[in-house]
C-alpha cells in the first residue's frame, strides 16, 4: 500500500499532509512547485512544476495537490481529504451518511463562501509588498467575510467547539485550512471569538505542527 502526495508545502497540499499526519499515514512526498512562482518554467534546470510534462501526466489540469493512492489518482485538496478520511476511518472520519453530507457541505461552504476573500486578505495585508496591496480588495473581503464568520462562530458555539459531531474531524481541517488565510485580518477574529479559539486550538495539534514545520523549512 502506498500513498504519494504531489505538491509543495506552500500550497493547498498542506491540507492533505495535515490529515495524513492525523491519520498516521506513511506517504511519499513529490515536491511540485507552482509554475507561476518560477522565473522561467521552461528553463532546463527548472524544478518539477505544475506545467512540467511529467506532472501533467499525473494531473492534466496542471494544479496541485494530487495524490496517487496505489494507482488511484485524485485531484482537488478538499476531495482528497474526504476520500482519505473515508478510506481510513477513525474518529476524524464521518461516522455515518449524515456526517458525510456535513463534511462535504463544510468543504464546499469554505471554498465558495470564504476562500477567495480570505486569500485576498493574505495577499493584500501580508504576502504582497506594500506597493502591490489594494485597500479596496481588503475592504471588500472584510465585508464579504463578516457574515460567514458569524455563521461559523455560531456553529462552533453550538457544536462543542468543532464544526461537526462535537469532535475534531476532517471537516475541521478542510474548513480551518481556508479560514487560516484570513488570519492577517485580526478584526474578523475579534468579532468571532469562537472561530479564533477553534483555529488556535487546531494549530496546537501535533499533526498540524509537523506539517507547518515542513512548510516553514521549504523555500518561500
Amino acid at each position: 500500500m502506498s500513498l504519494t502526495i504531489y505538491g509543495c508545502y506552500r500550497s493547498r497540499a498542506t491540507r492533505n499532509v495535515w490529515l495524513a499526519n492525523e491519520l498516521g499515514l506513511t506517504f511519499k512526498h513529490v515536491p511540485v512547485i507552482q509554475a507561476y512562482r518560477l522565473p522561467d518554467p521552461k528553463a532546463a534546470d527548472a524544478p518539477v512544476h505544475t506545467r512540467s510534462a511529467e506532472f501533467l501526466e499525473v494531473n492534466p489540469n496542471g494544479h496541485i495537490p494530487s495524490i496517487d493512492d496505489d494507482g488511484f489518482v485524485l485531484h482537488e485538496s478538499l476531495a482528497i481529504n474526504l476520500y482519505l478520511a473515508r478510506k481510513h476511518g477513525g474518529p476524524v472520519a464521518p461516522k455515518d451518511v449524515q456526517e458525510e453530507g456535513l463534511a462535504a457541505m463544510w468543504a464546499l461552504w469554505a471554498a465558495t463562501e470564504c476562500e477567495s476573500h480570505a486569500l485576498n486578505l493574505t495577499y493584500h495585508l501580508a504576502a504582497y509588498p506594500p506597493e502591490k496591496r489594494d485597500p479596496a480588495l481588503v475592504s471588500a473581503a472584510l465585508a464579504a467575510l463578516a457574515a460567514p464568520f458569524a455563521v461559523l462562530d455560531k456553529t462552533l458555539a453550538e457544536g462543542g467547539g468543532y464544526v461537526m459531531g462535537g469532535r475534531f474531524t476532517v471537516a475541521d481541517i478542510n474548513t480551518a485550512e481556508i479560514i487560516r488565510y484570513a488570519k492577517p485580518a485580526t478584526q474578523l477574529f475579534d468579532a468571532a471569538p469562537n472561530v479564533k479559539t477553534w483555529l488556535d486550538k487546531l494549530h496546537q495539534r501535533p499533526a498540524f505542527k509537523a506539517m507547518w514545520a515542513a512548510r516553514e523549512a521549504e523555500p518561500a
Side-chain angles (χ1 to χ4, degrees):
M1 302 290 287
S2 61
L3 171 65
T4 300
I5 299 176
Y6 295 88
C8 59
Y9 283 99
R10 294 179 183 273
S11 75
R12 292 174 176 87
T14 55
R15 304 166 184 179
N16 307 139
V17 173
W18 180 5
L19 178 62
N21 290 345
E22 294 282 358
L23 293 170
L25 302 181
T26 299
F27 62 90
K28 177 183 178 182
H29 175 228
V30 176
V32 179
I33 193 172
Q34 302 93 330
Y36 67 79
R37 292 175 56 191
L38 299 173
D40 183 6
K42 296 182 179 180
D45 60 347
V48 178
H49 57 78
T50 49
R51 293 296 163 184
S52 295
E54 58 206 279
F55 179 66
L56 291 173
E57 287 292 318
V58 176
N59 185 348
N61 301 297
H63 299 298
I64 50 176
S66 292
I67 64 166
D68 184 325
D69 188 31
D70 268 342
F72 174 63
V73 176
L74 189 64
H75 318 306
E76 300 298 332
S77 60
L78 302 176
I80 290 168
N81 272 3
L82 295 175
Y83 161 75
L84 291 174
R86 171 69 182 272
K87 176 178 178 179
H88 295 281
V92 74
K95 68 180 182 181
D96 54 28
V97 68
Q98 290 185 346
E99 286 199 348
E100 286 184 5
L102 286 169
M105 180 194 78
W106 281 109
L108 290 167
W109 176 88
T112 59
E113 296 282 348
C114 302
E115 188 160 22
S116 62
H117 306 300
L119 282 170
N120 273 339
L121 294 175
T122 280
Y123 295 145
H124 294 278
L125 286 176
Y128 287 163
E131 66 274 11
K132 194 177 176 182
R133 298 177 187 179
D134 187 339
L137 286 176
V138 171
S139 296
L142 290 172
L145 286 174
F149 264 60
V151 168
L152 180 57
D153 197 70
K154 184 173 185 289
T155 296
L156 294 168
E158 295 174 349
Y162 298 101
V163 300
M164 181 180 84
R167 69 190 193 285
F168 173 75
T169 68
V170 63
D172 292 292
I173 293 178
N174 279 351
T175 306
E177 275 292 270
I178 289 173
I179 295 299
R180 171 171 64 82
Y181 296 143
K183 282 189 74 176
T186 56
Q187 61 268 54
L188 281 173
F189 294 88
D190 291 341
N194 294 302
V195 176
K196 183 180 187 305
T197 298
W198 165 77
L199 194 63
D200 288 345
K201 175 174 60 179
L202 297 190
H203 287 178
Q204 292 305 307
R205 297 183 66 86
F208 176 87
K209 287 185 172 182
M211 174 277 287
W212 198 256
R215 183 186 185 279
E216 291 293 282
E218 186 177 81

